[in-house]
Amino acid sequence: MTDRPARGAAPRTGDRSRPRAVLPALCITQITSWGIVYYAFPVLNPAITADTGWPTGTTTAAFSAALLISAFAGIPVGRIIDRRGPRTVMTTGSTLAVASLLIVAAAPNLPVFFSGWLLAGFAMAATFYQPAFAALTRWWAPDHVRALTIVTLAGGLASTVFAPLTATLADHLSWRTTYAVLALVLGAVTIPAHALALRAPWPKAPPAAAHTGGSAARVSRSRPFWMLATALTLSAFTVYAVVVALVPLMIERGYTTSQAAWALGLGGAGQTLGRTLYATLARRTGATARTTTLIALGGVTTAALALVPGPYALLIALSVAAGTVRGNLTLLQATAITDRWGTTHYGRLSGLLAAPATTASALAPFGGAAVAGPLGGYPHLFLALAITSAVACLVALKATPT
């Protein structure tokens, strides 16, 4: 469905009253926040464990705990943004992110290290995609798909920019000093950007259309909503398990670590490509058809990776194809609420929808690795994940509001 802007809602593209600073500011802050709070950790974790002697599993668990915190903190964050707008939430989140990384950098022991990452979880909930999506959906309606696409394209550059930068800093500084420097960069970029660029008046929520199910509480208790949440959760588990398991899958088949890393990296390029295609897909398909098609394609690419041992060029092509589907799935989740229930309660409903999916994405790396052995290896894991996608596809068929 396409929402018509209500009185006080964001104007159409090109209207001078639209807050022009918001979109470029959120592009910059998404690159910086994801790059420093999220992608710096896998680069620095080997140095952390080597320096401290803390087990890799334990330090990784602290990071995963942050992701779990962000999943559930995103629910009240969405409610606040619906009522008051994103400025205070995202500025506070940026401040918390800086404080959390400084705690991590100075942590003398594991309890303090964990406390820093738990605080980072609240910061993630207030600064990552979900609050940015809520802001753009209200300000940019009805052209929000274009704005969401631009922001996710920018966010996709976070690892490209900050993984090498973090590695370069770590070559010359300790991991603690590197985190401190990155925290200062994070604060210098994101705190003023959120505080200054998000000052535009927050439009009133448009009234809910009669066919959308009414209040947020009623929608969130409805069968279609929870069918959609279940489908996206199963899909998220599959997608993130595949990302983490691709390298060991290829190594198990005799490829080098470098070859596997290139396959994974080019899959990320496919993800960026996929995001450029979503607007066209959204114009030509309905919400249910689009959801089931993308989840099904994710299952097909996962099954192909399970069944095709080579040659290497074909595996690269499959990784790029899987990345293209992942890129579309990000925007699918971002638009799932507006496609079915409008923009009136977007922040609250998207927080509820994202919570189980984010939890699944946090647990997927451990879950995939834990069952790969009992299943008989990574090819069998990928087949199991493809079956999970098929189940998600069937569940998604029942997610059409009545």
Side-chain angles (χ1 to χ4, degrees):
M1 68 179 229
T2 301
D3 300 315
R4 293 181 179 179
R7 180 178 299 177
R12 293 181 180 275
T13 303
D15 193 306
R16 292 182 180 178
S17 62
R18 173 168 286 173
R20 295 182 179 180
V22 169
L23 187 54
L26 288 177
C27 287
I28 293 170
T29 60
Q30 288 301 301
I31 292 173
T32 308
S33 297
W34 277 96
I36 292 177
V37 182
Y38 188 93
Y39 286 107
F41 175 77
V43 176
L44 293 175
N45 196 38
I48 294 172
T49 57
D51 176 58
T52 61
W54 299 336
T56 299
T58 304
T59 56
T60 305
F63 183 70
S64 293
L67 297 175
L68 292 174
I69 290 290
S70 74
F72 295 100
I75 298 173
V77 164
R79 292 174 180 167
I80 294 170
I81 291 177
D82 274 344
R83 292 195 302 266
R84 302 178 183 177
R87 185 190 182 200
T88 300
V89 166
M90 298 192 78
T91 304
T92 302
S94 294
T95 305
L96 291 178
V98 173
S100 69
L101 294 185
L102 291 175
I103 292 171
V104 168
N109 51 49
L110 277 171
V112 176
F113 186 80
F114 264 82
S115 68
W117 280 113
L118 294 179
L119 183 61
F122 291 100
M124 291 176 185
T127 58
F128 278 9
Y129 278 144
Q130 289 304 316
F133 289 164
L136 293 173
T137 296
R138 181 75 65 87
W139 267 318
W140 252 253
D143 194 27
H144 54 280
V145 172
R146 183 179 71 89
L148 297 176
T149 301
I150 292 171
V151 165
T152 54
L153 286 172
L157 297 173
S159 61
T160 306
V161 174
F162 281 96
L165 175 60
T166 301
T168 300
L169 288 172
D171 286 340
H172 298 87
L173 305 170
S174 70
W175 70 269
R176 295 181 186 277
T177 305
T178 298
Y179 256 136
V181 170
L182 290 174
L184 295 177
V185 172
L186 180 69
V189 173
T190 63
I191 293 175
H194 288 148
L196 299 176
L198 304 182
R199 292 183 299 173
W202 188 236
K204 293 181 180 179
H211 67 280
T212 61
S215 69
R218 181 177 177 183
V219 170
S220 66
R221 291 194 298 265
S222 68
R223 184 171 183 268
F225 182 88
W226 285 107
M227 289 293 100
L228 179 63
T230 301
L232 293 179
T233 299
L234 292 172
S235 177
F237 184 89
T238 298
V239 165
Y240 283 92
V242 165
V243 169
V244 175
L246 180 62
V247 170
L249 170 75
M250 295 189 65
I251 291 174
E252 187 174 300
R253 285 176 166 161
Y255 295 97
T256 67
T257 301
S258 178
Q259 287 175 316
W262 270 105
L264 180 61
L266 291 172
Q271 184 169 299
T272 301
L273 172 64
R275 289 170 179 172
T276 66
L277 303 175
Y278 186 79
T280 301
L281 181 65
R283 288 194 299 269
R284 297 182 178 181
T285 58
T288 300
R290 185 161 59 254
T291 303
T292 54
T293 298
L294 287 173
I295 292 175
L297 287 174
V300 169
T301 56
T302 302
L305 287 167
L307 298 172
V308 177
Y312 181 65
L314 180 55
L315 291 176
I316 290 290
L318 289 174
S319 179
V320 172
T324 302
V325 175
R326 285 199 306 273
N328 277 279
L329 285 169
T330 301
L331 286 166
L332 177 74
Q333 180 167 319
T335 58
I337 296 299
T338 53
D339 286 341
R340 294 166 174 82
W341 297 286
T343 62
T344 306
H345 306 292
Y346 179 88
R348 178 179 179 181
L349 292 176
S350 66
L352 287 168
L353 188 68
T358 304
T359 301
S361 67
L363 297 176
F366 295 101
V371 301
L375 287 175
Y378 281 92
H380 293 90
L381 169 65
F382 273 60
L383 282 176
L385 293 172
I387 294 171
T388 303
S389 289
V391 173
C393 189
L394 294 175
V395 173
L397 288 171
K398 302 181 181 298
T400 303
T402 56

